[in-house]
Amino acid sequence: DTEVTQTPKHLVMGMTNKKSLKCEQHMGHRAMYWYKQKAKKPPELMFVYSYEKLSINESVPSRFSPECPNSSLLNLHLHALQPEDSALYLCASSHAGTGYEQYFGPGTRLTVT
Amino acid sequence: AQRVTQPEKLLSVFKGAPVELKCNYSYSGSPELFWYVQYSRQRLQLLLRHISRESIKGFTADLNKGETSFHLKKPFAQEEDSAMYYCALSGIQGAQKLVFGQGTRLTINP
């Protein structure tokens, strides 16, 4: 299995809701990432997990809470989001360390109403 | 600070013509540079990286440290090359932070 999968594909949530995005890979990668991509913009890094530990947090607001329960799974818990958080959320994985190819999932299209 | 600049948002060339997508970077250390591509209705994927020195789908890119550039080139464009291309930089030792340029949308006209 050489793909990163993400669920759900689409999500619409109100500003008071709590929801979670899920990401899974079975390539044995020990680094996993969350990116946010607004329309017509490049992906922006949010979080990096390395060996199931959070190694980079790009000053993301606390209404976004990542979790890496095991080496194959990555979650992004969402609470009290704002309309400006509407975007495509991409998950990626790679071997740990620098210089490795990152494999991207198809993304979850999030709309906050 | 790490920064990647792709000066062209849009680039349009005819099939069979040469293609060059420009990428300049700013980084004080030894950078690791990549080109990622996103074809229509497909996920973002790696096209090539400077450390492998490969030619993928006829594309090549040479790292020029003096000019801090990593331009992507192909001698003869094909219609299936139409896509969004992102240049990306990873430089922090021991971390996997990838910084993307703004992207260039390449259109190959028949």
Side-chain angles (χ1 to χ4, degrees), chain A residues 60-106:
Chain A
V60 178
S62 59
R63 56 186 184 268
F64 294 92
S65 176
E67 179 196 20
C68 189
N70 61 54
S71 60
S72 299
L73 291 173
L74 185 66
N75 299 319
L76 186 63
H77 302 298
L78 314 172
H79 175 54
L81 294 193
Q82 303 297 310
E84 59 265 28
D85 297 321
S86 298
L88 182 68
Y89 288 83
L90 297 171
C91 175
S93 71
S94 75
H95 292 298
T98 56
Y100 290 105
E101 173 180 1
Q102 291 189 20
Y103 290 77
F104 285 83

mmCIF file of all heavy atoms in Angstrom, chain A residues 60-106:
data_model
loop_
_atom_site.group_PDB
_atom_site.id
_atom_site.type_symbol
_atom_site.label_atom_id
_atom_site.label_comp_id
_atom_site.label_asym_id
_atom_site.label_seq_id
_atom_site.Cartn_x
_atom_site.Cartn_y
_atom_site.Cartn_z
ATOM 1 N N VAL A 60 0.264 27.157 15.366
ATOM 2 C CA VAL A 60 -1.131 26.956 14.955
ATOM 3 C C VAL A 60 -2.051 27.230 16.148
ATOM 4 O O VAL A 60 -1.739 26.835 17.273
ATOM 5 C CB VAL A 60 -1.332 25.508 14.462
ATOM 6 C CG1 VAL A 60 -2.773 25.256 14.070
ATOM 7 C CG2 VAL A 60 -0.389 25.216 13.286
ATOM 8 N N PRO A 61 -3.196 27.888 15.935
ATOM 9 C CA PRO A 61 -4.126 28.152 17.050
ATOM 10 C C PRO A 61 -4.565 26.869 17.736
ATOM 11 O O PRO A 61 -4.664 25.809 17.099
ATOM 12 C CB PRO A 61 -5.309 28.836 16.355
ATOM 13 C CG PRO A 61 -4.749 29.396 15.097
ATOM 14 C CD PRO A 61 -3.647 28.479 14.681
ATOM 15 N N SER A 62 -4.853 26.976 19.016
ATOM 16 C CA SER A 62 -5.160 25.792 19.821
ATOM 17 C C SER A 62 -6.493 25.150 19.451
ATOM 18 O O SER A 62 -6.780 24.038 19.922
ATOM 19 C CB SER A 62 -5.170 26.164 21.303
ATOM 20 O OG SER A 62 -6.139 27.164 21.541
ATOM 21 N N ARG A 63 -7.291 25.809 18.616
ATOM 22 C CA ARG A 63 -8.537 25.177 18.171
ATOM 23 C C ARG A 63 -8.253 23.994 17.223
ATOM 24 O O ARG A 63 -9.138 23.218 16.909
ATOM 25 C CB ARG A 63 -9.464 26.200 17.503
ATOM 26 C CG ARG A 63 -8.879 26.959 16.330
ATOM 27 C CD ARG A 63 -9.866 28.036 15.888
ATOM 28 N NE ARG A 63 -9.407 28.755 14.702
ATOM 29 C CZ ARG A 63 -8.699 29.870 14.748
ATOM 30 N NH1 ARG A 63 -8.355 30.386 15.919
ATOM 31 N NH2 ARG A 63 -8.324 30.475 13.623
ATOM 32 N N PHE A 64 -6.993 23.891 16.787
ATOM 33 C CA PHE A 64 -6.520 22.728 16.032
ATOM 34 C C PHE A 64 -5.648 21.901 16.978
ATOM 35 O O PHE A 64 -4.641 22.397 17.481
ATOM 36 C CB PHE A 64 -5.690 23.143 14.826
ATOM 37 C CG PHE A 64 -6.456 23.884 13.777
ATOM 38 C CD1 PHE A 64 -6.521 25.274 13.809
ATOM 39 C CD2 PHE A 64 -7.096 23.211 12.753
ATOM 40 C CE1 PHE A 64 -7.227 25.969 12.843
ATOM 41 C CE2 PHE A 64 -7.793 23.897 11.776
ATOM 42 C CZ PHE A 64 -7.861 25.287 11.823
ATOM 43 N N SER A 65 -6.015 20.617 17.158
ATOM 44 C CA SER A 65 -5.273 19.780 18.093
ATOM 45 C C SER A 65 -4.873 18.489 17.405
ATOM 46 O O SER A 65 -5.722 17.646 17.104
ATOM 47 C CB SER A 65 -6.132 19.488 19.323
ATOM 48 O OG SER A 65 -5.475 18.605 20.188
ATOM 49 N N PRO A 66 -3.576 18.300 17.127
ATOM 50 C CA PRO A 66 -3.169 17.075 16.443
ATOM 51 C C PRO A 66 -2.977 15.934 17.422
ATOM 52 O O PRO A 66 -2.766 16.127 18.625
ATOM 53 C CB PRO A 66 -1.830 17.476 15.813
ATOM 54 C CG PRO A 66 -1.264 18.459 16.785
ATOM 55 C CD PRO A 66 -2.437 19.196 17.380
ATOM 56 N N GLU A 67 -3.030 14.739 16.871
ATOM 57 C CA GLU A 67 -2.810 13.534 17.680
ATOM 58 C C GLU A 67 -2.242 12.450 16.778
ATOM 59 O O GLU A 67 -2.693 12.283 15.649
ATOM 60 C CB GLU A 67 -4.146 13.050 18.280
ATOM 61 C CG GLU A 67 -4.039 11.789 19.113
ATOM 62 C CD GLU A 67 -5.376 11.122 19.363
ATOM 63 O OE1 GLU A 67 -6.340 11.389 18.620
ATOM 64 O OE2 GLU A 67 -5.455 10.303 20.291
ATOM 65 N N CYS A 68 -1.258 11.723 17.302
ATOM 66 C CA CYS A 68 -0.675 10.624 16.539
ATOM 67 C C CYS A 68 -0.746 9.374 17.411
ATOM 68 O O CYS A 68 0.200 9.087 18.153
ATOM 69 C CB CYS A 68 0.757 10.947 16.148
ATOM 70 S SG CYS A 68 1.488 9.782 14.981
ATOM 71 N N PRO A 69 -1.847 8.628 17.366
ATOM 72 C CA PRO A 69 -2.027 7.502 18.276
ATOM 73 C C PRO A 69 -1.089 6.329 18.016
ATOM 74 O O PRO A 69 -0.788 5.578 18.940
ATOM 75 C CB PRO A 69 -3.490 7.099 18.060
ATOM 76 C CG PRO A 69 -3.914 7.733 16.780
ATOM 77 C CD PRO A 69 -3.034 8.888 16.530
ATOM 78 N N ASN A 70 -0.644 6.165 16.777
ATOM 79 C CA ASN A 70 0.352 5.146 16.472
ATOM 80 C C ASN A 70 1.064 5.528 15.190
ATOM 81 O O ASN A 70 0.776 6.568 14.588
ATOM 82 C CB ASN A 70 -0.285 3.750 16.377
ATOM 83 C CG ASN A 70 -1.330 3.646 15.290
ATOM 84 O OD1 ASN A 70 -1.070 3.952 14.133
ATOM 85 N ND2 ASN A 70 -2.535 3.210 15.666
ATOM 86 N N SER A 71 1.993 4.700 14.745
ATOM 87 C CA SER A 71 2.855 5.091 13.620
ATOM 88 C C SER A 71 2.113 5.152 12.285
ATOM 89 O O SER A 71 2.657 5.668 11.318
ATOM 90 C CB SER A 71 4.030 4.125 13.499
ATOM 91 O OG SER A 71 3.569 2.804 13.277
ATOM 92 N N SER A 72 0.885 4.660 12.227
ATOM 93 C CA SER A 72 0.143 4.659 10.963
ATOM 94 C C SER A 72 -0.964 5.702 10.899
ATOM 95 O O SER A 72 -1.492 5.972 9.824
ATOM 96 C CB SER A 72 -0.506 3.287 10.727
ATOM 97 O OG SER A 72 0.455 2.282 10.649
ATOM 98 N N LEU A 73 -1.311 6.260 12.037
ATOM 99 C CA LEU A 73 -2.480 7.136 12.107
ATOM 100 C C LEU A 73 -2.117 8.536 12.566
ATOM 101 O O LEU A 73 -1.261 8.726 13.429
ATOM 102 C CB LEU A 73 -3.507 6.559 13.081
ATOM 103 C CG LEU A 73 -4.211 5.272 12.666
ATOM 104 C CD1 LEU A 73 -5.062 4.744 13.813
ATOM 105 C CD2 LEU A 73 -5.063 5.489 11.428
ATOM 106 N N LEU A 74 -2.824 9.494 11.990
ATOM 107 C CA LEU A 74 -2.667 10.892 12.387
ATOM 108 C C LEU A 74 -4.055 11.523 12.387
ATOM 109 O O LEU A 74 -4.804 11.366 11.423
ATOM 110 C CB LEU A 74 -1.750 11.625 11.416
ATOM 111 C CG LEU A 74 -1.381 13.062 11.743
ATOM 112 C CD1 LEU A 74 -0.520 13.133 13.001
ATOM 113 C CD2 LEU A 74 -0.648 13.711 10.578
ATOM 114 N N ASN A 75 -4.387 12.183 13.473
ATOM 115 C CA ASN A 75 -5.683 12.848 13.575
ATOM 116 C C ASN A 75 -5.484 14.349 13.732
ATOM 117 O O ASN A 75 -4.446 14.805 14.231
ATOM 118 C CB ASN A 75 -6.472 12.329 14.794
ATOM 119 C CG ASN A 75 -6.766 10.848 14.707
ATOM 120 O OD1 ASN A 75 -7.108 10.324 13.647
ATOM 121 N ND2 ASN A 75 -6.656 10.148 15.827
ATOM 122 N N LEU A 76 -6.497 15.087 13.339
ATOM 123 C CA LEU A 76 -6.524 16.517 13.604
ATOM 124 C C LEU A 76 -7.895 16.839 14.182
ATOM 125 O O LEU A 76 -8.911 16.734 13.498
ATOM 126 C CB LEU A 76 -6.278 17.328 12.327
ATOM 127 C CG LEU A 76 -6.142 18.833 12.519
ATOM 128 C CD1 LEU A 76 -4.927 19.171 13.380
ATOM 129 C CD2 LEU A 76 -6.025 19.540 11.162
ATOM 130 N N HIS A 77 -7.904 17.165 15.480
ATOM 131 C CA HIS A 77 -9.152 17.463 16.178
ATOM 132 C C HIS A 77 -9.454 18.951 16.041
ATOM 133 O O HIS A 77 -8.573 19.792 16.228
ATOM 134 C CB HIS A 77 -9.039 17.059 17.648
ATOM 135 C CG HIS A 77 -8.708 15.607 17.833
ATOM 136 N ND1 HIS A 77 -9.536 14.596 17.400
ATOM 137 C CD2 HIS A 77 -7.616 15.008 18.377
ATOM 138 C CE1 HIS A 77 -8.993 13.424 17.676
ATOM 139 N NE2 HIS A 77 -7.818 13.644 18.268
ATOM 140 N N LEU A 78 -10.707 19.226 15.707
ATOM 141 C CA LEU A 78 -11.129 20.592 15.410
ATOM 142 C C LEU A 78 -12.211 21.025 16.393
ATOM 143 O O LEU A 78 -13.160 20.274 16.660
ATOM 144 C CB LEU A 78 -11.700 20.660 13.988
ATOM 145 C CG LEU A 78 -10.891 19.963 12.894
ATOM 146 C CD1 LEU A 78 -11.680 19.956 11.587
ATOM 147 C CD2 LEU A 78 -9.548 20.624 12.714
ATOM 148 N N HIS A 79 -12.071 22.219 16.937
ATOM 149 C CA HIS A 79 -13.056 22.714 17.900
ATOM 150 C C HIS A 79 -13.124 24.230 17.842
ATOM 151 O O HIS A 79 -12.104 24.895 17.876
ATOM 152 C CB HIS A 79 -12.679 22.261 19.308
ATOM 153 C CG HIS A 79 -13.564 22.834 20.370
ATOM 154 N ND1 HIS A 79 -14.947 22.720 20.353
ATOM 155 C CD2 HIS A 79 -13.275 23.560 21.478
ATOM 156 C CE1 HIS A 79 -15.453 23.328 21.410
ATOM 157 N NE2 HIS A 79 -14.471 23.846 22.106
ATOM 158 N N ALA A 80 -14.355 24.727 17.771
ATOM 159 C CA ALA A 80 -14.578 26.169 17.776
ATOM 160 C C ALA A 80 -13.834 26.859 16.646
ATOM 161 O O ALA A 80 -13.135 27.866 16.861
ATOM 162 C CB ALA A 80 -14.196 26.771 19.135
ATOM 163 N N LEU A 81 -13.960 26.315 15.455
ATOM 164 C CA LEU A 81 -13.255 26.907 14.316
ATOM 165 C C LEU A 81 -13.948 28.178 13.835
ATOM 166 O O LEU A 81 -15.108 28.446 14.153
ATOM 167 C CB LEU A 81 -13.182 25.903 13.164
ATOM 168 C CG LEU A 81 -12.350 24.648 13.398
ATOM 169 C CD1 LEU A 81 -12.118 23.924 12.088
ATOM 170 C CD2 LEU A 81 -11.020 24.964 14.065
ATOM 171 N N GLN A 82 -13.211 28.943 13.046
ATOM 172 C CA GLN A 82 -13.697 30.176 12.468
ATOM 173 C C GLN A 82 -13.904 29.985 10.963
ATOM 174 O O GLN A 82 -13.269 29.120 10.353
ATOM 175 C CB GLN A 82 -12.684 31.296 12.701
ATOM 176 C CG GLN A 82 -12.339 31.527 14.166
ATOM 177 C CD GLN A 82 -13.559 31.978 14.957
ATOM 178 O OE1 GLN A 82 -14.256 32.913 14.555
ATOM 179 N NE2 GLN A 82 -13.821 31.321 16.071
ATOM 180 N N PRO A 83 -14.753 30.783 10.344
ATOM 181 C CA PRO A 83 -14.953 30.652 8.892
ATOM 182 C C PRO A 83 -13.648 30.736 8.087
ATOM 183 O O PRO A 83 -13.507 30.055 7.069
ATOM 184 C CB PRO A 83 -15.894 31.816 8.565
ATOM 185 C CG PRO A 83 -16.660 32.030 9.828
ATOM 186 C CD PRO A 83 -15.690 31.758 10.941
ATOM 187 N N GLU A 84 -12.686 31.516 8.580
ATOM 188 C CA GLU A 84 -11.417 31.641 7.843
ATOM 189 C C GLU A 84 -10.574 30.366 7.911
ATOM 190 O O GLU A 84 -9.553 30.261 7.222
ATOM 191 C CB GLU A 84 -10.601 32.829 8.358
ATOM 192 C CG GLU A 84 -10.250 32.776 9.829
ATOM 193 C CD GLU A 84 -11.234 33.551 10.689
ATOM 194 O OE1 GLU A 84 -12.432 33.675 10.301
ATOM 195 O OE2 GLU A 84 -10.805 34.037 11.761
ATOM 196 N N ASP A 85 -10.999 29.402 8.712
ATOM 197 C CA ASP A 85 -10.307 28.110 8.756
ATOM 198 C C ASP A 85 -10.749 27.194 7.630
ATOM 199 O O ASP A 85 -10.195 26.101 7.456
ATOM 200 C CB ASP A 85 -10.554 27.413 10.104
ATOM 201 C CG ASP A 85 -9.996 28.188 11.272
ATOM 202 O OD1 ASP A 85 -8.888 28.768 11.128
ATOM 203 O OD2 ASP A 85 -10.650 28.229 12.333
ATOM 204 N N SER A 86 -11.735 27.597 6.873
ATOM 205 C CA SER A 86 -12.179 26.811 5.718
ATOM 206 C C SER A 86 -11.020 26.698 4.737
ATOM 207 O O SER A 86 -10.410 27.699 4.343
ATOM 208 C CB SER A 86 -13.379 27.487 5.040
ATOM 209 O OG SER A 86 -14.476 27.561 5.925
ATOM 210 N N ALA A 87 -10.699 25.460 4.353
ATOM 211 C CA ALA A 87 -9.540 25.211 3.491
ATOM 212 C C ALA A 87 -9.490 23.721 3.168
ATOM 213 O O ALA A 87 -10.304 22.933 3.645
ATOM 214 C CB ALA A 87 -8.242 25.631 4.191
ATOM 215 N N LEU A 88 -8.494 23.360 2.373
ATOM 216 C CA LEU A 88 -8.179 21.958 2.127
ATOM 217 C C LEU A 88 -7.085 21.559 3.112
ATOM 218 O O LEU A 88 -6.049 22.231 3.190
ATOM 219 C CB LEU A 88 -7.692 21.768 0.694
ATOM 220 C CG LEU A 88 -7.365 20.331 0.254
ATOM 221 C CD1 LEU A 88 -8.646 19.495 0.174
ATOM 222 C CD2 LEU A 88 -6.653 20.337 -1.096
ATOM 223 N N TYR A 89 -7.326 20.515 3.884
ATOM 224 C CA TYR A 89 -6.337 20.052 4.849
ATOM 225 C C TYR A 89 -5.690 18.785 4.306
ATOM 226 O O TYR A 89 -6.359 17.783 4.056
ATOM 227 C CB TYR A 89 -6.982 19.832 6.223
ATOM 228 C CG TYR A 89 -7.322 21.153 6.870
ATOM 229 C CD1 TYR A 89 -8.499 21.813 6.559
ATOM 230 C CD2 TYR A 89 -6.402 21.783 7.709
ATOM 231 C CE1 TYR A 89 -8.787 23.059 7.106
ATOM 232 C CE2 TYR A 89 -6.684 23.028 8.260
ATOM 233 C CZ TYR A 89 -7.873 23.662 7.938
ATOM 234 O OH TYR A 89 -8.139 24.900 8.467
ATOM 235 N N LEU A 90 -4.382 18.881 4.136
ATOM 236 C CA LEU A 90 -3.609 17.794 3.553
ATOM 237 C C LEU A 90 -2.802 17.084 4.618
ATOM 238 O O LEU A 90 -2.189 17.725 5.477
ATOM 239 C CB LEU A 90 -2.648 18.332 2.490
ATOM 240 C CG LEU A 90 -3.257 18.998 1.268
ATOM 241 C CD1 LEU A 90 -2.166 19.675 0.437
ATOM 242 C CD2 LEU A 90 -3.994 17.992 0.422
ATOM 243 N N CYS A 91 -2.772 15.786 4.518
ATOM 244 C CA CYS A 91 -1.896 14.967 5.344
ATOM 245 C C CYS A 91 -0.780 14.432 4.448
ATOM 246 O O CYS A 91 -0.984 14.210 3.239
ATOM 247 C CB CYS A 91 -2.693 13.808 5.941
ATOM 248 S SG CYS A 91 -1.726 12.619 6.873
ATOM 249 N N ALA A 92 0.386 14.260 4.993
ATOM 250 C CA ALA A 92 1.503 13.688 4.251
ATOM 251 C C ALA A 92 2.318 12.798 5.182
ATOM 252 O O ALA A 92 2.235 12.927 6.410
ATOM 253 C CB ALA A 92 2.393 14.779 3.652
ATOM 254 N N SER A 93 3.112 11.917 4.586
ATOM 255 C CA SER A 93 4.010 11.090 5.384
ATOM 256 C C SER A 93 5.318 10.912 4.638
ATOM 257 O O SER A 93 5.399 11.097 3.416
ATOM 258 C CB SER A 93 3.379 9.715 5.680
ATOM 259 O OG SER A 93 3.323 8.911 4.505
ATOM 260 N N SER A 94 6.358 10.574 5.391
ATOM 261 C CA SER A 94 7.670 10.334 4.801
ATOM 262 C C SER A 94 8.513 9.535 5.776
ATOM 263 O O SER A 94 8.158 9.372 6.955
ATOM 264 C CB SER A 94 8.386 11.645 4.465
ATOM 265 O OG SER A 94 8.882 12.259 5.639
ATOM 266 N N HIS A 95 9.666 9.067 5.310
ATOM 267 C CA HIS A 95 10.648 8.541 6.243
ATOM 268 C C HIS A 95 11.117 9.697 7.116
ATOM 269 O O HIS A 95 11.123 10.864 6.683
ATOM 270 C CB HIS A 95 11.827 7.937 5.489
ATOM 271 C CG HIS A 95 11.468 6.696 4.729
ATOM 272 N ND1 HIS A 95 11.011 5.544 5.352
ATOM 273 C CD2 HIS A 95 11.462 6.429 3.402
ATOM 274 C CE1 HIS A 95 10.759 4.625 4.440
ATOM 275 N NE2 HIS A 95 11.018 5.133 3.243
ATOM 276 N N ALA A 96 11.500 9.401 8.322
ATOM 277 C CA ALA A 96 11.958 10.451 9.227
ATOM 278 C C ALA A 96 13.322 10.962 8.782
ATOM 279 O O ALA A 96 14.134 10.195 8.267
ATOM 280 C CB ALA A 96 12.027 9.915 10.658
ATOM 281 N N GLY A 97 13.568 12.245 8.971
ATOM 282 C CA GLY A 97 14.821 12.850 8.546
ATOM 283 C C GLY A 97 14.580 13.788 7.384
ATOM 284 O O GLY A 97 13.487 13.891 6.863
ATOM 285 N N THR A 98 15.621 14.482 6.973
ATOM 286 C CA THR A 98 15.456 15.464 5.902
ATOM 287 C C THR A 98 15.744 14.843 4.541
ATOM 288 O O THR A 98 16.440 13.835 4.439
ATOM 289 C CB THR A 98 16.389 16.663 6.106
ATOM 290 O OG1 THR A 98 17.733 16.183 6.203
ATOM 291 C CG2 THR A 98 16.024 17.425 7.356
ATOM 292 N N GLY A 99 15.189 15.455 3.518
ATOM 293 C CA GLY A 99 15.502 15.059 2.156
ATOM 294 C C GLY A 99 14.650 13.950 1.595
ATOM 295 O O GLY A 99 14.838 13.560 0.443
ATOM 296 N N TYR A 100 13.719 13.418 2.387
ATOM 297 C CA TYR A 100 12.887 12.340 1.888
ATOM 298 C C TYR A 100 11.630 12.876 1.214
ATOM 299 O O TYR A 100 11.090 13.911 1.586
ATOM 300 C CB TYR A 100 12.482 11.405 3.033
ATOM 301 C CG TYR A 100 13.628 10.586 3.572
ATOM 302 C CD1 TYR A 100 14.211 10.898 4.793
ATOM 303 C CD2 TYR A 100 14.140 9.507 2.858
ATOM 304 C CE1 TYR A 100 15.265 10.158 5.291
ATOM 305 C CE2 TYR A 100 15.200 8.765 3.347
ATOM 306 C CZ TYR A 100 15.755 9.092 4.557
ATOM 307 O OH TYR A 100 16.810 8.359 5.051
ATOM 308 N N GLU A 101 11.161 12.134 0.228
ATOM 309 C CA GLU A 101 9.922 12.479 -0.457
ATOM 310 C C GLU A 101 8.763 12.414 0.520
ATOM 311 O O GLU A 101 8.654 11.475 1.320
ATOM 312 C CB GLU A 101 9.671 11.500 -1.596
ATOM 313 C CG GLU A 101 8.333 11.654 -2.289
ATOM 314 C CD GLU A 101 8.141 10.643 -3.404
ATOM 315 O OE1 GLU A 101 9.039 9.817 -3.635
ATOM 316 O OE2 GLU A 101 7.076 10.680 -4.039
ATOM 317 N N GLN A 102 7.904 13.420 0.456
ATOM 318 C CA GLN A 102 6.674 13.392 1.237
ATOM 319 C C GLN A 102 5.547 12.902 0.323
ATOM 320 O O GLN A 102 5.408 13.364 -0.809
ATOM 321 C CB GLN A 102 6.347 14.776 1.793
ATOM 322 C CG GLN A 102 7.338 15.204 2.863
ATOM 323 C CD GLN A 102 6.922 16.465 3.600
ATOM 324 O OE1 GLN A 102 5.750 16.859 3.599
ATOM 325 N NE2 GLN A 102 7.880 17.109 4.261
ATOM 326 N N TYR A 103 4.779 11.966 0.836
ATOM 327 C CA TYR A 103 3.633 11.412 0.107
ATOM 328 C C TYR A 103 2.375 12.071 0.660
ATOM 329 O O TYR A 103 2.117 12.012 1.865
ATOM 330 C CB TYR A 103 3.556 9.900 0.310
ATOM 331 C CG TYR A 103 4.657 9.132 -0.373
ATOM 332 C CD1 TYR A 103 5.944 9.088 0.157
ATOM 333 C CD2 TYR A 103 4.420 8.446 -1.557
ATOM 334 C CE1 TYR A 103 6.958 8.388 -0.464
ATOM 335 C CE2 TYR A 103 5.427 7.730 -2.188
ATOM 336 C CZ TYR A 103 6.695 7.712 -1.640
ATOM 337 O OH TYR A 103 7.698 7.010 -2.269
ATOM 338 N N PHE A 104 1.617 12.668 -0.234
ATOM 339 C CA PHE A 104 0.445 13.426 0.183
ATOM 340 C C PHE A 104 -0.838 12.641 0.000
ATOM 341 O O PHE A 104 -0.992 11.865 -0.955
ATOM 342 C CB PHE A 104 0.351 14.730 -0.621
ATOM 343 C CG PHE A 104 1.335 15.769 -0.176
ATOM 344 C CD1 PHE A 104 2.644 15.756 -0.636
ATOM 345 C CD2 PHE A 104 0.960 16.763 0.723
ATOM 346 C CE1 PHE A 104 3.561 16.713 -0.223
ATOM 347 C CE2 PHE A 104 1.862 17.715 1.150
ATOM 348 C CZ PHE A 104 3.175 17.688 0.677
ATOM 349 N N GLY A 105 -1.767 12.885 0.911
ATOM 350 C CA GLY A 105 -3.112 12.389 0.746
ATOM 351 C C GLY A 105 -3.919 13.318 -0.143
ATOM 352 O O GLY A 105 -3.444 14.386 -0.529
ATOM 353 N N PRO A 106 -5.161 12.927 -0.457
ATOM 354 C CA PRO A 106 -5.996 13.745 -1.341
ATOM 355 C C PRO A 106 -6.595 14.960 -0.648
ATOM 356 O O PRO A 106 -7.082 15.874 -1.311
ATOM 357 C CB PRO A 106 -7.089 12.777 -1.762
ATOM 358 C CG PRO A 106 -7.181 11.800 -0.642
ATOM 359 C CD PRO A 106 -5.791 11.658 -0.094
#
